[in-house]
Amino acid sequence: MTVNDDSFTDWKNRERIAESMIPLIGRLHRERDVTILLHSRSLVNKSVVSILKTHRFARQIEGEELSVTETLPFLEALTALDLGPSQIDIGMLAKTYRTDGRGLSVEQFTAEAVAGATGENKIERRESRDVVLYGFGRIGRLLARLLIEKAGSGNGLRLRAIVVRRGGDQDIVKRASLLRRDSIHGQFQGTITVDEANSTIVANGNEIKMIYADDPSEVNYTAYGIKDAILIDNTGRWRDRAGLSQHLRPGVAKVVLTAPGKGDVLNVVHGVNHETIKPDEQIISCASCTTNAIVPPLKAMADEYGVLRGHVETVHSFTNDQNLLDNFHKSDRRGRSAPLNMVITETGAASAVAKALPELDARITGSSIRVPVPDVSIAILSLRLARETTREEVLDHLRNVSLTSPLKRQIDFTNAPDAVSSDFIGSRHASIIDAGATKVEGDDAILYLWYDNEFGYSCQVVRVVQHVSGVEYPTFPVPVA
């Protein structure tokens, strides 16, 4: 047998193992509301090749590929436990087991590591929480995809309605088509049918009512059987407490804004300050995509090295608030053609840092340039640190943060030498550290942070909604602070 034959045989064997993992992952998700992760990446509803690629990704972070032969025993051990709703990272189980040194069996180690999700410690499966989308643009449609995906277990969040202004004939058909196909994010994973007579979209079995209204005051959500709902306003039309309070109508309990909040509205970056949300708080902002991209790595750097001051330069993809061709715009430069120009514009991300990370006693400034790409941006974060360090130390720190810390769902890490923006379309992290571009000299550090300003941000929004709804289930093994 040749070397090539050996490689192909090994591949076919790993395919067989990954194939055997799929029903185990699916059963845990549907029957017990357990989401299986691998280094913070969900394996639910993934194909054989996707599972193998996710395992191979570990090579970028740990220096060696994580094999399905190594993780399968942990998955099998989980199926034998009396698990409650939770998220379990089998990549972290395998990693920590390697260095445990106590001679425990996989079954014993797994039972101990996830003890917080079993027996008397496990939490009960909760009833689904109603969610309403107010607006159905770029972020609204991605939120719909994520909410439909997360309804798979029958618990958690349930998208009940979408509120829009009527756009003309066949409005619901056209909106459903935009949900079904996306030029950047690809096809919807599932089936979508439309009931025009009842203004309903059925996506993967989820019945979603399309409600037509020009103003929040026109909607009585209880008339549609909606109760205690979380409404996500992704229009950006209202950003202060007075404006957003208009949504607090019968059937709606809380309002989440997908834009920076003004005045006393709490700006939340999940993973950093979501624990500060008071149970009785009814109006919350998820800040901006750029704020979500820079605050987690900024916190990671401040906690380890201290930060005296900083500047963020955002190279941002163009958005729908710019003109396709030169035309009048209320902003100074956004009227110039978005696909033909680099456009200097303002960003509120730097000033928003103080709201999300008030303990940071450092001045952060910021500016932004819009560029002719439709999605994925990069933030260049220049920091003056409180102590000197080295590039190797910073990269080791950020790599470990992305793997084992409470920020591992927000911060990703890549050392791919030829990484470009399109590589990060569909990333579920708030930002991705580009190791190759990182620069450190003494007490100066420059971080290059990629982020999918549409999908990665939408994932952060859903995490906030899960938290305030009470369906954000614990993760095991518990991340190291």
Side-chain angles (χ1 to χ4, degrees):
M1 182 177 287
T2 66
V3 173
N4 286 340
D5 287 337
D6 286 342
S7 298
F8 185 67
T9 300
D10 177 62
W11 171 259
K12 299 302 289 184
N13 182 54
R14 286 187 289 142
E15 274 190 324
R16 178 185 59 79
I17 294 171
E19 193 173 71
S20 72
M21 297 172 79
I22 292 174
L24 303 181
I25 294 166
R27 199 174 305 124
L28 285 168
H29 185 60
R30 288 190 304 275
E31 297 177 3
R32 306 189 202 178
D33 220 0
V34 174
T35 299
I36 298 298
L37 310 173
L38 191 118
H39 288 321
S40 301
R41 289 163 166 77
S42 174
L43 297 183
V44 176
N45 292 329
K46 294 296 188 290
S47 67
V48 167
V49 172
S50 291
I51 291 173
L52 291 174
K53 286 181 68 176
T54 305
H55 278 75
R56 185 167 176 78
F57 175 81
R59 184 180 62 167
Q60 285 196 46
I61 300 176
E62 297 189 79
E64 59 181 302
E65 185 172 340
L66 185 63
S67 173
V68 287
T69 60
E70 191 174 1
T71 57
L72 176 61
F74 294 96
L75 182 58
E76 291 174 331
L78 290 170
T79 62
L81 297 174
D82 180 27
L83 291 168
S86 54
Q87 299 184 105
I88 300 177
D89 194 320
I90 58 175
M92 285 305 303
L93 285 174
K95 177 182 170 65
T96 52
Y97 182 68
R98 286 177 186 171
T99 58
D100 183 62
R102 291 179 293 163
L104 299 177
S105 67
V106 167
E107 291 77 15
Q108 291 170 326
F109 180 84
T110 302
E112 179 182 279
V114 302
T118 61
E120 294 181 355
N121 295 321
K122 73 177 184 180
I123 59 179
E124 295 301 319
R125 299 178 74 175
R126 301 185 177 100
E127 290 187 11
S128 58
R129 183 74 178 265
D130 289 352
V131 178
V132 173
L133 292 177
Y134 198 95
F136 204 46
R138 296 297 301 154
I139 298 301
R141 291 193 295 275
L142 292 177
L143 289 172
R145 288 187 174 200
L146 286 164
L147 292 167
I148 293 163
E149 170 191 299
K150 294 183 182 299
S153 63
N155 292 271
L157 304 174
R158 183 184 175 197
L159 178 57
R160 296 292 309 280
I162 300 165
V163 184
V164 294
R165 294 179 177 180
R166 187 180 292 276
D169 294 340
Q170 291 192 308
D171 182 277
I172 191 170
V173 173
K174 292 178 180 178
R175 294 185 189 276
S177 184
L178 286 171
L179 177 61
R180 185 181 290 115
R181 304 175 184 88
D182 190 281
S183 300
I184 296 169
H185 301 283
Q187 297 279 338
F188 174 79
Q189 297 300 305
T191 63
I192 294 175
T193 57
V194 176
D195 182 349
E196 282 191 85
N198 293 303
S199 294
T200 301
I201 295 173
V202 181
N204 290 357
N206 294 267
E207 291 191 4
I208 307 162
K209 190 73 175 179
M210 190 69 73
I211 301 173
Y212 294 102
D214 293 327
D215 189 84
S217 63
E218 298 177 9
V219 188
N220 177 5
Y221 295 98
T222 59
Y224 302 97
I226 297 169
K227 60 180 182 179
D228 196 33
I230 298 173
L231 182 145
I232 307 175
D233 184 328
N234 55 89
T235 67
R237 185 177 172 188
W238 305 278
R239 292 170 57 186
D240 60 11
R241 187 172 296 277
L244 293 168
S245 293
Q246 299 176 77
H247 292 303
L248 294 172
R249 302 185 48 73
V252 173
K254 294 180 184 293
V255 179
V256 174
L257 171 66
T258 64
K262 294 183 177 181
D264 66 343
V265 174
L266 179 64
N267 282 256
V268 176
V269 174
H270 190 275
V272 175
N273 69 334
H274 67 279
E275 297 286 358
T276 65
I277 303 173
K278 297 177 181 178
D280 60 349
E281 180 58 78
Q282 291 184 292
I283 296 174
I284 302 154
S285 159
C286 289
S288 71
C289 56
T290 303
T291 303
N292 276 264
I294 65 174
V295 167
L298 184 55
K299 175 176 171 55
M301 292 296 287
D303 288 348
E304 182 67 17
Y305 303 103
V307 172
L308 301 180
R309 64 177 180 269
H311 176 81
V312 60
E313 187 74 34
T314 303
V315 182
H316 199 291
S317 58
F318 64 78
T319 64
N320 269 330
D321 74 340
Q322 295 174 253
N323 288 339
L324 188 62
L325 295 172
D326 288 0
N327 208 347
F328 175 82
H329 195 290
K330 62 181 180 180
S331 295
D332 288 340
R333 305 187 199 230
R334 296 193 188 189
R336 301 301 300 276
S337 173
L340 295 179
N341 295 290
M342 293 190 291
V343 179
I344 297 173
T345 187
E346 70 282 348
T347 176
S351 60
V353 169
K355 288 188 174 183
L357 201 60
E359 65 271 24
L360 181 69
D361 187 21
R363 182 169 181 261
I364 307 294
T365 58
S367 53
S368 180
I369 302 172
R370 297 286 179 92
V371 295
V373 294
D375 187 31
V376 180
S377 304
I378 190 166
I380 305 168
L381 186 59
S382 301
L383 303 175
R384 172 62 56 87
L385 306 178
R387 67 175 175 89
E388 293 192 353
T389 182
T390 65
R391 181 174 182 272
E392 291 72 22
E393 183 187 347
V394 168
L395 289 178
D396 283 344
H397 170 61
L398 293 174
R399 182 187 293 109
N400 289 330
V401 166
S402 74
L403 265 178
T404 63
S405 82
L407 290 171
K408 66 180 185 177
R409 296 172 73 193
Q410 282 70 44
I411 298 177
D412 203 359
F413 187 95
T414 181
N415 56 16
D418 56 352
V420 294
S421 61
S422 61
D423 296 334
F424 306 104
I425 293 174
S427 170
R428 294 179 180 238
H429 288 79
S431 63
I432 306 99
I433 308 291
D434 191 313
T438 299
K439 293 174 173 56
V440 179
E441 185 174 338
D443 57 359
D444 288 323
I446 303 176
L447 307 183
Y448 285 73
L449 312 170
W450 298 102
Y451 58 108
D452 185 328
N453 48 279
E454 293 185 337
F455 196 73
Y457 175 68
S458 296
C459 289
Q460 282 286 89
V461 173
V462 169
R463 289 172 190 137
V464 171
V465 174
Q466 287 179 310
H467 178 74
V468 300
S469 69
V471 297
E472 185 180 37
Y473 297 138
T475 301
F476 298 95
V478 177
V480 179

